[in-house]
């Protein structure tokens, strides 16, 4: 029954993607047919937004699944244990800075972290890497700097608040889930292509293919939900609270979650709100959006235990909000 349910879900996701691809190619022709003229244009916008999210995310997903597969094939548990400091709290600092060496965005980070935890990385360390890598990397810093040329300190503020927030969340996760296994047990992973054990390259390719199909379904569903929100979201409601120092950061964090824009490009979206929203709310958008959005929420529920994911979804916005608030009191 589990196999049948999995096949049904995978087929549903595949049909959904085919539908949107068909609409992308033939939407203009359909609009000329009398039956389809009655359909509001907003529904066609859903299709355009969906495909734009997919096309933006696919290269990074491919990067992520290949990194994950390489870790599976070539990185042993002993290597991870040797590299990380033994102190649970000190280990958080290099984890938060790993993004400088491995610039992976939020589209691809979840399968990589899942694989590292399975290989022996402590859970709280892996979560810090997952939250910080999409922010603390040179690609994101450069894009943020160029998007905010008139206020270049925004790029530095993003790095600093992202670093502090991820460390705090890591400490909280360590205190709450110390010694617990936060990963789901996935029976289908018990098959490891034993007949290719002697060939590391083939083994890596097989793992990458498995990871891609597994991760892809969460990406498609997440992109679909994000496109629905974007198409039907009334942005006038957001604009009406844009100047509120209390509620504007919450609104912008919500917007970052819904838009699900890749962290390497979200700074340009944020800069377009610069004349309407406060600097602290822009900063909240830039920090929270790469940490948690609709796409990686579904991936988290697919790979991690539900109790842990819900806890992370509650803790992350609270920590980011108060980190931005404190930063605003002293520096903005």
């Amino acid at each position: 029954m589990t196999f049948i349910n999995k096949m049904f879900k995978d087929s549903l996701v595949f049909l959904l993607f085919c539908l949107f691809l068909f609409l992308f190619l033939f939407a203009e022709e359909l609009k000329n047919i009398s039956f389809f003229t009655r359909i509001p244009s907003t529904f066609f916008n859903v299709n355009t937004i969906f495909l734009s999210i997919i096309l933006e995310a696919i290269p990074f997903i491919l990067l992520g699944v290949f990194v994950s597969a390489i870790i599976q094939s070539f990185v042993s548990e002993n290597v991870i244990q040797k590299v990380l400091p033994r102190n649970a709290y000190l280990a958080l600092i290099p984890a938060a800075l790993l993004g400088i060496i491995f610039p992976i965005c939020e589209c691809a980070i979840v399968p990589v972290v899942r694989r590292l935890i399975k290989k022996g990385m402590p859970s709280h360390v892996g979560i810090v890497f997952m939250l910080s890598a999409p922010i603390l990397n040179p690609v994101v810093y450069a894009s943020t700097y160029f998007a905010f040329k008139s206020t270049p300190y925004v790029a530095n503020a993003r790095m600093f608040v992202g670093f502090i927030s991820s460390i705090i969340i890591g400490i909280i996760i360590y205190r709450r889930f110390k010694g617990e296994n936060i990963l789901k047990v996935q029976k289908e992973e018990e098959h490891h292509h034993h007949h290719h054990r002697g060939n590391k390259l083939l083994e890596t390719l097989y793992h990458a293919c498995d990871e891609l199909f597994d991760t892809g379904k969460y990406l498609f569903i997440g992109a679909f939900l994000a496109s629905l929100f974007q198409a039907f979201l009334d942005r006038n409601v957001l604009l009406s609270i844009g100047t509120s120092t209390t509620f504007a950061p919450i609104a912008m964090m919500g917007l970052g979650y819904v838009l699900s824009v890749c962290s390497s490009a979200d700074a340009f979206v944020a800069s377009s709100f610069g004349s309407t929203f406060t600097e602290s709310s822009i900063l909240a958008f830039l920090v929270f959006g790469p940490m948690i959005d609709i796409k990686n929420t579904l991936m988290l529920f697919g790979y991690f235990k539900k109790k842990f994911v819900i806890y992370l979804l509650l803790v992350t916005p609270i920590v980011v909000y108060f980190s931005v608030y404190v930063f605003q009191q002293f520096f903005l």
Side-chain angles (χ1 to χ4, degrees):
M1 185 61 69
T2 304
F3 176 75
I4 295 174
N5 288 337
K6 184 178 184 301
M7 287 296 295
F8 174 76
K9 291 178 182 177
D10 291 349
S11 300
L12 192 63
V13 171
F14 177 73
L15 289 173
L16 178 68
F17 178 72
C18 290
L19 172 63
F20 279 106
L21 186 60
F22 174 80
L23 290 174
F24 176 74
L25 295 172
F26 302 106
E28 292 302 320
E29 287 79 0
L30 291 175
K31 289 178 183 178
N32 297 325
I33 300 174
S34 58
F35 174 79
F36 291 100
T37 56
R38 304 171 189 173
I39 300 176
S41 60
T42 307
F43 286 95
F44 289 98
N45 291 340
V46 171
N47 175 64
T48 304
I49 296 169
F50 170 81
L51 287 173
S52 67
I53 294 174
I54 293 294
L55 292 175
E56 180 186 50
I58 281 294
F60 299 101
I61 287 290
L62 289 171
L63 173 65
V65 298
F66 271 104
V67 171
S68 174
I70 289 169
I71 291 170
Q72 172 64 23
S73 301
F74 294 98
V75 179
S76 68
E77 289 84 348
N78 292 334
V79 171
I80 293 174
Q81 296 296 335
K82 289 177 181 178
V83 169
L84 291 173
R86 293 186 180 276
N87 185 284
Y89 296 105
L90 288 179
L92 297 176
I93 297 174
L97 298 175
L98 268 177
I100 298 173
I101 306 171
F102 302 105
I104 305 173
C105 78
E106 77 280 2
C107 306
I109 192 68
V110 177
V112 174
V113 169
R114 191 264 303 247
R115 186 66 63 191
L116 285 169
I117 293 175
K118 285 178 69 67
K119 282 287 186 176
M121 176 178 279
S123 298
H124 68 293
V125 175
I127 296 305
V128 169
F129 176 46
M130 184 187 77
L131 297 176
S132 62
I135 302 171
L136 295 167
N137 76 63
V139 177
V140 172
Y141 181 85
S143 67
T144 308
Y145 182 86
F146 283 108
F148 291 90
K149 281 184 178 179
S150 59
T151 53
Y153 58 85
V154 171
N156 296 326
R158 183 183 197 182
M159 301 297 115
F160 179 77
V161 175
F163 175 79
I164 296 298
S165 298
S166 62
I167 293 291
I168 294 172
I169 294 168
I171 293 172
I172 295 172
I173 293 298
Y174 174 70
R175 302 286 294 181
R176 173 62 183 82
F177 293 95
K178 181 181 179 181
E180 292 187 35
N181 177 26
I182 62 174
L183 293 175
K184 279 184 175 180
V185 177
Q186 297 181 320
K187 293 182 180 179
E188 62 269 22
E189 288 189 0
E190 293 175 3
H191 176 64
H192 290 298
H193 305 287
H194 294 288
H195 52 289
H196 287 291
R197 277 292 178 185
N199 191 320
K200 288 288 186 180
L201 179 59
L202 281 177
E203 185 184 342
T204 301
L205 290 175
Y206 274 107
H207 280 298
C209 290
D210 289 343
E211 200 85 62
L212 178 61
F213 283 107
D214 199 27
T215 305
K217 62 186 176 185
Y218 300 115
L219 171 64
F220 289 150
I221 296 172
F224 175 60
L225 294 176
S227 61
L228 284 176
F229 277 112
Q230 289 190 49
F232 294 99
L233 179 68
D234 185 1
R235 300 198 179 189
N236 291 326
V237 177
L238 291 174
L239 296 175
S240 65
I241 59 175
T243 57
S244 169
T245 55
T246 302
F247 296 107
I250 298 174
M252 286 300 281
M253 284 195 293
L255 184 64
Y257 181 84
V258 167
L259 292 183
S260 299
V261 182
C262 180
S263 60
S264 58
D266 63 354
F268 297 97
V269 176
S271 64
S272 66
F273 291 98
S275 60
T276 309
F277 281 80
T278 61
E279 286 187 333
S280 61
S281 63
I282 297 294
L283 184 58
F285 175 91
L286 293 171
V287 173
F288 179 73
M291 288 184 171
I292 302 288
D293 63 19
I294 292 178
K295 299 193 305 296
N296 64 16
T297 295
L298 289 177
M299 292 181 195
L300 286 170
F301 274 114
Y303 296 142
F304 294 82
K305 292 180 179 178
K306 186 183 296 184
K307 180 179 72 171
F308 166 76
V309 177
I310 293 172
Y311 190 85
L312 183 67
L313 292 177
L314 291 174
V315 167
T316 303
I318 294 172
V319 171
V320 171
Y321 180 86
F322 283 104
S323 297
V324 170
Y325 178 80
V326 172
F327 185 85
Q328 173 192 338
Q329 300 302 311
F330 288 97
F331 300 106
L332 294 181

